[in-house]
Amino acid sequence: MLLKFQIKNMGSLFYLPLLFCAFYIIFLLLIPAELEGILFLILQIAVLPFSFWWPVFNIYDLYQNNVEEIFATYIGKNLLFDYLRFTSLFLILILFLFFITNIKVGQPFPLHLVFLLIGQTFIISSFVLLITIYLKSIEIASMSAILYVFSEAVTTGEIFPWPHIFIFSLDSHNLNVLWIQMIIYLFISAIFLFASIKYAKTIERNII
Amino acid sequence: MIKVRNISKKYKNRYSLKNINLNIEGIYGLIGPNGAGKTTLMRVIAGLIKVDEGEVLFRNSYDSSIKSLRESIAYLPQDFNIYPRVTIEECLNHIAIVKGLSKSFDRKRKVQEVLEIVNLVEHKYKKIKDLSGGMRKRVGIAQMFLTEPKILIIDEPTNGLDISERFRFRNLIRSISKDRTVIITSHIAEDVEFLCNKIGILKNGEILKEGTSEEIANYAKGMVWEITAKPNEISNILHHYTVLNIEKQPFDNLKLRIFSKSQPKYAKPVEPKLIDGYLSILEGDGVFDVT
């Protein structure tokens, strides 16, 4: 019932990640199976970044309609559950797309990549959620995420001096360490989430 | 009873609240110009922001950090405009879940109860985006009663409402204030006069005066005048004095209410209202007297 309310409240915005998933499936049908590296790359940079979309737009009213005074006292537990609900839902989508990509390619991807996708989903969604809550701006947070993904895609994760979470070449990467990477990402995501809850409960920001 | 004791709050080395002392009970009105610090003070009282100095005492015990106390304070921000795509009932039901009413049966009963309080039962299937400003404010009041609040904090309750909605909403606030402490901010003196038994005047983060409506009005004693004039004399009077009100009279006459430190020619003194006292305190005696 809660999810039904949240979907109704988000309106058409809820369907944007689903739309990109649909685009990916169409792309999957059109591109030759031999280009499996490109398929996995597109999954990472064109679909996976939308992991932030639902958790962030779920709190749209909090900051865009200035009602944080009403919810600040109660938001902690709800924010955590809403985040986990939407991120789990998104993760199911991503793993489904990964699964059908495997079918298309014929030769299965290493299972380690599942760890990578899980870690990426959590780190992106939790980071953008934190930025949204801290700056009280969905626009700034979303644009930061889009700029990061775009610059990483253009530079293939090499030029800018910030952490690179996408893998651009499956051959040159040691896939055996991906589960460690996932653990690190999940740990950092937990910190981001904890900070998000803390900031959501307070309406003062020293920088604003 | 809420006692605000020596509250000070700084933002970037500038006081947004400076040594505030208030005794709040019944329906308390905070009035002041934009940027005076009204919303900051309300947030402090609600325990939503920390202060640099001072404390807020609830019934003589300092326990504003206790969770249950924070939950007994309900807040209605100035622009209540959430969840535009859902119905009133769905909106309240969701806020009830967020506020911790987990049992479906209790929640439904509570939502129905608060809809009755604000007289919105027959509109409960209307979407929030289709409501008038006044109805949206009533939904805002309804969400306050989903818990059992002892203290209601309402920021600019009549802001943005048309005249009839404003009167209806004022009456609603009066009816829900029984056995509760209500704090409202407003820049409409007439609303504060109607609603509040005690008023604090805030300017630049400082409380200038605190008292009943009559006590505040008395600060303008001897500064409010009435004069009868013809329409062609109006521009000259407006040029020399601050005219608070113009009322039509028989035989093409106009009755003017004037704020002036000195007695204008042919004017007779009248009893000041809250707005007169407020202007007098806010700007200093005679500041409107342009003679």
Side-chain angles (χ1 to χ4, degrees), chain A residues 1 4 18 20 37 51 82 84 108 119 126 138-139 159 183 205:
Chain A
M1 196 176 69
K4 195 179 155 193
L18 299 177
F20 272 76
S51 61
D82 288 344
L84 291 175
S126 61
I138 287 179
E139 288 86 356
I159 294 177
I183 300 289
R205 302 285 184 270

Side-chain angles (χ1 to χ4, degrees), chain B residues 27-275:
Chain B
I27 308 183
Y28 191 95
L30 268 174
I31 52 174
N34 290 337
K38 301 187 293 287
T39 300
T40 306
L41 182 55
M42 304 263 261
R43 286 173 166 182
V44 166
I45 294 167
L48 293 167
I49 55 175
K50 288 176 184 163
V51 290
D52 301 324
E53 286 168 48
E55 58 187 12
V56 180
L57 296 136
F58 295 86
R59 289 188 184 158
N60 302 324
S61 63
Y62 181 60
D63 54 4
S64 61
S65 62
I66 295 171
K67 196 183 168 200
S68 63
L69 182 66
R70 264 185 82 170
E71 288 181 1
S72 74
I73 299 173
Y75 200 110
L76 178 61
Q78 195 177 138
D79 303 308
F80 181 82
N81 189 26
I82 53 169
Y83 308 143
R85 295 183 187 91
V86 303
T87 65
I88 295 174
E89 191 185 38
E90 287 169 331
C91 171
L92 291 172
N93 187 58
H94 181 72
I95 296 174
I97 293 171
V98 175
K99 287 190 172 185
L101 274 79
S102 52
K103 288 180 185 166
S104 173
F105 179 77
D106 293 347
R107 199 169 57 240
K108 275 181 185 160
R109 201 190 56 201
K110 194 71 193 174
V111 167
Q112 184 64 23
E113 194 183 307
V114 299
L115 283 169
E116 280 165 19
I117 293 174
V118 298
N119 202 17
L120 280 175
V121 177
E122 60 192 82
H123 302 286
K124 65 180 179 181
Y125 298 122
K126 278 188 183 169
K127 286 188 176 177
I128 302 285
K129 66 180 176 186
D130 298 329
L131 303 180
S132 66
M135 282 170 90
R136 232 175 289 162
K137 288 261 183 188
R138 273 149 71 189
V139 178
I141 290 284
Q143 64 79 25
M144 297 175 94
F145 284 90
L146 290 168
T147 50
E148 299 291 339
K150 301 275 188 296
I151 299 161
L152 307 177
I153 299 179
I154 309 173
D155 201 357
E156 297 282 358
T158 56
N159 192 28
L161 302 186
D162 64 36
I163 294 170
S164 59
E165 279 182 331
R166 200 176 123 217
F167 288 122
R168 259 203 304 273
F169 197 67
R170 283 190 341 188
N171 291 338
L172 174 66
I173 292 174
R174 268 209 98 102
S175 69
I176 60 171
S177 65
K178 200 179 161 216
D179 302 327
R180 289 186 180 91
T181 301
V182 183
I183 310 167
I184 67 165
T185 67
S186 185
H187 58 264
I188 304 172
E190 199 185 304
D191 291 345
V192 176
E193 196 167 22
F194 176 84
L195 287 166
C196 304
N197 48 10
K198 205 170 178 188
I199 295 156
I201 297 177
L202 194 64
K203 188 189 175 189
N204 294 333
E206 290 182 77
I207 289 288
L208 301 180
K209 295 283 182 239
E210 190 187 27
T212 62
S213 169
E214 293 77 22
E215 286 167 349
I216 300 290
N218 274 338
Y219 284 99
K221 199 128 192 149
M223 288 181 231
V224 187
W225 313 92
E226 213 166 73
I227 190 166
T228 304
K230 293 286 179 195
N232 59 357
E233 296 169 329
I234 293 291
S235 59
N236 188 39
I237 295 169
L238 284 168
H239 183 70
H240 287 95
Y241 300 104
T242 298
V243 178
L244 301 168
N245 194 28
I246 301 175
E247 209 176 285
K248 277 192 174 175
Q249 296 287 298
F251 309 111
D252 206 21
N253 284 330
L254 296 167
K255 191 158 78 181
L256 279 71
R257 194 178 163 85
I258 292 170
F259 187 92
S260 169
K261 195 178 176 183
S262 57
Q263 185 172 12
K265 216 171 177 181
Y266 309 120
K268 59 176 183 182
V270 288
E271 276 302 303
K273 294 178 182 176
L274 174 67
I275 182 70

